[in-house]
């Protein structure tokens, strides 16, 4: 039986008492917290329908969060020191109260410097990119196959307001929108930078479009080759293990779907120069990228978050403004942009639900409890960011001058 209390338990260590004191600043929504000794505390407006719950099993969770922000929470959550029945709701509540919960989100100055240094030491040079991509995409095709749809697509779908449709249909809608926007027809030659498991290449080749796709993930390429061979599309879709910086030749169009996030800010200029060089005069490129609001970019850039530390080492999101500015400098004029952030939130919800449904099969593959809790936090963390408009996903149409 829990009891509602308004002051920190006397048994709580100093770090935990400071943590609870900061929670008292919550103004939007409410948080119900259960302490290790079973006490119940409610912070914020208890009558607000928007709320979340947090069960602290070990007081060490509080100190870890204060020290390292979202990274600290991820570590505490992975260790089982803290839990919640709805991780996405907890993330949304934190974002809505960001100013009040600053240290809980970003951690202390020492930790911020340390994690930023670690991020800086994971550059996306040719060797660094292969290492960073391997850390995420080569963890196991069998794992991804369990919860991705039949198109093997690991990027946002486009639901266009119809959330009753199957994820596979929404992914194919996304691919077709790219083809229609670029006005691609049979016989056109397209370069795909970051071809993944071959989703776009298969869809385009089935319409007679010639696709040259490159990836630096051996695991992804293995599946992509199998799919191309099974559908007898080898004459139209040629996929290879190659860094985009080592390409030559020119194409009618360039497609790049959520690969830009892995480029790294110090390599943005080179990326756009490569895209421009690979396009024939007047050619167009469509780049789909996750973006972060410009107002949040300076702080994001000066630190390193949970995603960069545990999910996508070397990753960096652009703001819309910075993306288009760098593209223009390389002679790629922005033509239009299509944003569909809410669809990414829905895509992530589907992935998370499928991961949960396939948990016995994932366990059988040898993935432990810590891995699954980190993975669940990754999906919920991103879902909350799209729900709250902190991040967006945009298809940028660029034309070579």
């Amino acid at each position: 039986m829990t009891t509602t209390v308004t002051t920190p338990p006397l048994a709580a260590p100093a770090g935990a008492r400071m943590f609870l004191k900061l929670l008292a600043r919550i103004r939007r929504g409410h948080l119900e917290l259960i302490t290790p000794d079973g006490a119940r505390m409610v912070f914020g407006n208890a009558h607000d329908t928007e709320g979340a719950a947090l069960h602290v099993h070990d007081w060490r969770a509080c100190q870890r969060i204060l020290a390292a922000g979202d990274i600290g929470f991820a570590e505490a959550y992975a260790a089982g020191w803290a839990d919640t029945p709805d991780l996405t709701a907890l993330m949304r509540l934190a974002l809505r109260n960001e100013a009040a919960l600053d240290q809980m989100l970003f951690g202390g100055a020492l930790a911020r410097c340390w994690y930023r240094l670690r991020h800086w030491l994971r550059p996306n040079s040719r060797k660094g990119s292969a290492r960073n991509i391997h850390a995420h995409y080569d963890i196991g095709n069998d794992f991804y196959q369990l919860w991705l749809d039949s198109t093997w697509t690991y990027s946002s779908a486009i639901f266009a307001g119809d959330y009753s449709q199957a994820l596979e249909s929404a992914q194919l809608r996304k691919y077709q929108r790219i083809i229609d926007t670029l006005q691609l027809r049979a016989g056109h030659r397209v370069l795909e930078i970051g071809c993944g498991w071959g989703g776009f290449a298969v869809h385009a080749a089935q319409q007679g479009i010639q696709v040259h796709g490159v990836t630096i993930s051996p695991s992804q390429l293995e599946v992509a080759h199998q799919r191309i061979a099974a559908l007898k599309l080898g004459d139209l879709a040629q996929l290879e293990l190659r860094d985009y910086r080592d390409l030559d030749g020119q194409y009618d169009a360039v497609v790049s779907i959520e690969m830009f996030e892995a480029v790294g800010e110090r390599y943005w200029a080179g990326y756009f120069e490569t895209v421009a060089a690979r396009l024939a005069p007047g050619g167009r490129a469509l780049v789909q990228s996750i973006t972060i609001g410009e107002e949040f970019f300076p702080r994001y850039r000066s630190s390193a978050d949970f995603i960069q530390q545990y999910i996508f080492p070397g990753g960096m999101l652009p703001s819309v403004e910075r993306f288009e500015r760098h593209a223009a400098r390389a002679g790629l004029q922005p033509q239009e942009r299509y944003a569909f952030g809410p669809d990414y939130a829905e895509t992530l919800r589907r992935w998370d639900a499928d991961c949960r449904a396939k948990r016995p099969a994932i366990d059988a593959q040898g993935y432990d409890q810590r891995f699954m809790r980190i993975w669940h936090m990754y999906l919920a963390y991103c879902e909350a960011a799209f729900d709250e408009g902190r991040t967006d996903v945009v298809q940028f149409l660029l034309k070579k001058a």
Side-chain angles (χ1 to χ4, degrees), residues 221-256:
L221 185 63
E222 179 185 1
V223 169
H225 277 163
Q226 292 170 356
R227 298 180 67 202
I228 294 297
L231 293 168
K232 296 181 172 55
L233 295 172
D235 291 341
L236 289 166
Q238 299 178 349
L239 312 181
E240 63 173 324
L241 193 69
R242 198 173 195 184
D243 191 291
Y244 70 95
R245 289 163 285 202
D246 296 329
L247 292 164
D248 52 24
Q250 290 191 324
Y251 301 81
D252 298 309
V254 172
V255 172
S256 189

Side-chain angles (χ1 to χ4, degrees), residues 118-167:
R118 285 188 65 190
H119 180 64
W120 188 83
L121 292 174
R122 294 167 166 175
N124 285 305
S125 59
R126 283 170 173 77
K127 286 186 178 180
S129 290
R131 186 167 53 247
N132 290 337
I133 290 298
H134 173 76
H136 188 81
Y137 292 100
D138 293 335
I139 61 177
N141 287 329
D142 292 341
F143 167 69
Y144 285 107
Q145 186 177 24
L146 285 173
W147 53 274
L148 290 178
D149 68 273
S150 61
T151 67
W152 283 83
T153 302
Y154 191 33
S155 56
S156 180
I158 292 180
F159 291 91
D162 179 12
Y163 291 121
S164 66
Q165 66 184 294
L167 181 57

Side-chain angles (χ1 to χ4, degrees), residues 242-310:
R242 198 173 195 184
D243 191 291
Y244 70 95
R245 289 163 285 202
D246 296 329
L247 292 164
D248 52 24
Q250 290 191 324
Y251 301 81
D252 298 309
V254 172
V255 172
S256 189
I257 304 172
E258 290 182 35
M259 175 272 179
F260 187 78
E261 301 88 332
V263 171
E265 186 179 6
R266 72 182 91 171
Y267 301 100
W268 285 353
Y271 171 89
F272 286 116
E273 288 166 3
T274 297
V275 171
R278 301 287 72 81
L279 281 173
R284 300 194 298 175
L286 191 145
V287 180
Q288 179 172 314
S289 175
I290 300 172
T291 63
I292 188 168
E294 174 62 27
E295 65 270 34
F296 307 115
F297 185 86
R299 184 158 199 177
Y300 165 72
R301 179 198 216 177
S302 66
S303 59
D305 62 12
F306 156 70
I307 298 295
Q308 292 167 322
Q309 291 300 313
Y310 281 98

Side-chain angles (χ1 to χ4, degrees), residues 19 25 75 83 93-94 164 169 191 232 238 258 275 308 315 334:
F19 177 85
R25 299 178 179 179
E75 293 169 348
D83 210 344
L93 182 72
S164 66
S169 299
L191 169 65
K232 296 181 172 55
Q238 299 178 349
E258 290 182 35
V275 171
Q308 292 167 322

Side-chain angles (χ1 to χ4, degrees), residues 361-380:
I362 294 174
D363 289 344
Q365 291 181 1
Y367 296 97
D368 61 16
Q369 175 79 359
R370 184 181 186 281
F371 173 87
M372 289 309 303
R373 288 174 76 85
I374 286 288
W375 197 263
H376 174 47
M377 179 167 169
Y378 151 53
L379 297 177

